[in-house]
């Protein structure tokens, strides 16, 4: 009879040894520290930044390394080396983000390390104004750069004081994604919705605000050009009628007056005088 009492211990020991060997074979990477962008007062950019990733353990079958920013591959960064380097010569706020060096191997999973370039948010794009008719849908938006991604908030100005948006009507919808925010307003009310709105972006390094204007027109707004043309026609007709009524009497020809001089009557008088002279 064979005893199995020692088998569980052997299995556990084997698993531990396997994990130990696997951990020893896993690549290790030394990377640069996280960086905070500080804008130079004399320039629109910060001082140059160099990010480094060094594969400290030697592994056969290393294919190379490349860089990513915010989960997107940076073209032209592939290198055949175990010491990767990425330089930002004139870093701006839009260079902030999460960078990652990725080492690839023939027979091993990829290995990576992350370096964060942090900066206060800066709103670089927004819809300055929106013009809509009452009852329609309006969309206001803001875009920012900076990292970490900001927390977005929207407010409406009341006598230049930012106030929370009253959404008791359920017509306001806010959607945020990373460095983008959007405020949608449905079934526009001409009495309540027009005015100035503010989008605000805030992260651990700072905050920034931008003002946008919403204008709401009446239902009759599309008819205004037609009404303007009709008004011009009516005014023109009135001018013609008034002019005709105010003509001077001498400008109107009297039907009782003779049309031309009585030439035949004058000739008859001349003939009569001649006959009287001949008779005498």
């Amino acid at each position: 009879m064979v005893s199995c009492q020692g088998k569980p211990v052997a299995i556990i020991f084997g698993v531990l040894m396997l994990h130990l060997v696997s951990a020893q074979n896993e690549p290790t990477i030394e990377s640069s520290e996280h960086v905070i962008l500080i804008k130079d007062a004399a320039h629109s950019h910060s001082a140059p930044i160099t990010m480094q990733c060094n594969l400290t353990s030697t592994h056969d079958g290393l294919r190379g390394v490349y860089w990513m920013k915010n989960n997107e591959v940076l073209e032209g960064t592939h290198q055949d080396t175990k010491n990767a380097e990425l330089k930002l010569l004139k870093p701006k706020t839009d260079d902030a983000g999460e960078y990652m060096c990725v080492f690839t191997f023939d027979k091993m999973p990829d290995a990576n390390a992350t370096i964060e370039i942090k900066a206060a948010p800066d709103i670089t794009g927004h819809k300055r104004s929106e013009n809509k008719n009452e009852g329609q849908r309006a969309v206001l938006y803001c875009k920012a750069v900076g990292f970490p991604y900001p927390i977005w908030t929207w407010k409406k100005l009341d006598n230049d004081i930012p106030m929370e948006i009253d959404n008791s009507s359920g017509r306001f919808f806010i959607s945020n994604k990373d460095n983008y925010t959007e405020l949608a307003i449905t079934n526009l009310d001409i009495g309540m919705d027009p005015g100035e709105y503010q989008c605000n972006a805030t992260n651990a390094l700072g905050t920034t605000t931008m003002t946008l204007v919403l204008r709401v027109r009446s239902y009759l707004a599309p008819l205004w050009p037609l009404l303007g043309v009709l008004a011009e026609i009516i005014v023109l007709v009135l001018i013609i009628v008034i002019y005709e009524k105010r003509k001077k009497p001498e400008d109107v020809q009297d039907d009782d007056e003779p049309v031309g001089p009585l030439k035949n009557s004058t000739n008859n008088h001349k003939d009569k005088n001649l006959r009287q002279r001949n008779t005498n």
Side-chain angles (χ1 to χ4, degrees), residues 51 68-69 74 86 88 95 97-100 113-115 117:
M51 292 174 281
M68 301 180 68
K69 179 188 176 185
L74 295 175
L86 181 64
L88 302 177
D95 291 316
E98 185 181 67
Y99 290 81
M100 182 184 294
T114 300
I115 303 172
I117 305 296

Side-chain angles (χ1 to χ4, degrees), residues 18-81:
L18 183 62
H19 279 289
L20 180 61
V21 172
S22 177
Q24 289 177 346
N25 290 332
E26 285 183 1
T28 55
I29 302 171
E30 288 185 356
S31 61
S32 304
E33 297 292 330
H34 300 322
V35 179
I36 297 177
L37 288 181
I38 300 176
K39 189 178 292 186
D40 189 340
H43 304 87
S44 60
H45 56 81
S46 301
I49 295 174
T50 300
M51 292 174 281
Q52 294 179 329
C53 285
N54 301 321
L55 190 64
T56 56
S57 55
T58 304
H59 292 275
D60 294 333
L62 174 64
R63 288 192 220 167
V65 61
Y66 62 90
W67 289 86
M68 301 180 68
K69 179 188 176 185
N70 298 334
N71 295 321
E72 294 185 2
V73 176
L74 295 175
E75 298 296 332
T77 61
H78 289 263
Q79 304 171 40
D80 296 325
T81 178

Side-chain angles (χ1 to χ4, degrees), residues 128-275:
R128 296 180 183 275
S129 63
E130 175 83 320
N131 301 311
K132 291 290 183 179
N133 298 332
E134 56 182 325
Q136 291 184 330
R137 180 177 183 267
V139 176
L140 306 174
Y141 70 86
C142 290
K143 294 189 294 184
V145 292
F147 190 83
Y149 295 130
I151 297 173
W152 290 99
T153 57
W154 284 88
K155 293 187 178 181
K156 186 179 181 183
L157 294 182
D158 184 3
N159 293 325
D160 294 332
I161 300 175
M163 305 292 291
E164 297 293 335
I165 295 176
D166 179 10
N167 195 24
S168 57
S169 62
R171 297 182 297 107
F172 294 80
F173 301 89
I174 298 174
S175 58
N176 304 325
K177 184 179 179 182
D178 299 340
N179 277 335
Y180 178 85
T181 183
E182 185 176 279
L183 170 65
I185 310 172
T186 61
N187 192 21
L188 287 172
D189 188 316
I190 195 171
M192 299 176 60
D193 298 335
E196 293 181 319
Y197 292 79
Q198 279 189 347
C199 64
N200 176 273
T202 301
N203 67 13
L205 301 175
T207 183
T208 184
T209 300
M210 192 61 65
T211 301
L212 305 85
V213 179
L214 173 62
R215 301 182 182 91
V216 181
R217 299 170 296 192
S218 168
Y219 287 114
L220 299 177
L223 299 177
W224 287 344
L226 178 60
L227 293 176
V229 173
L230 290 176
E232 291 180 359
I233 294 175
I234 293 172
V235 171
L236 182 59
V237 170
L238 288 175
I239 291 175
I240 294 174
V241 171
I242 294 173
Y243 174 76
E244 291 294 334
K245 285 187 176 182
R246 291 189 176 184
K247 269 188 174 181
K248 293 181 179 180
E250 55 269 21
D251 294 338
V252 181
Q253 193 171 21
D254 190 353
D255 293 338
D256 297 334
E257 293 181 358
V259 177
L262 301 176
K263 294 182 179 180
N264 293 334
S265 176
T266 305
N267 292 335
N268 290 336
H269 284 295
K270 289 182 179 180
D271 293 341
K272 185 177 180 181
N273 292 333
L274 288 174
R275 284 197 299 271

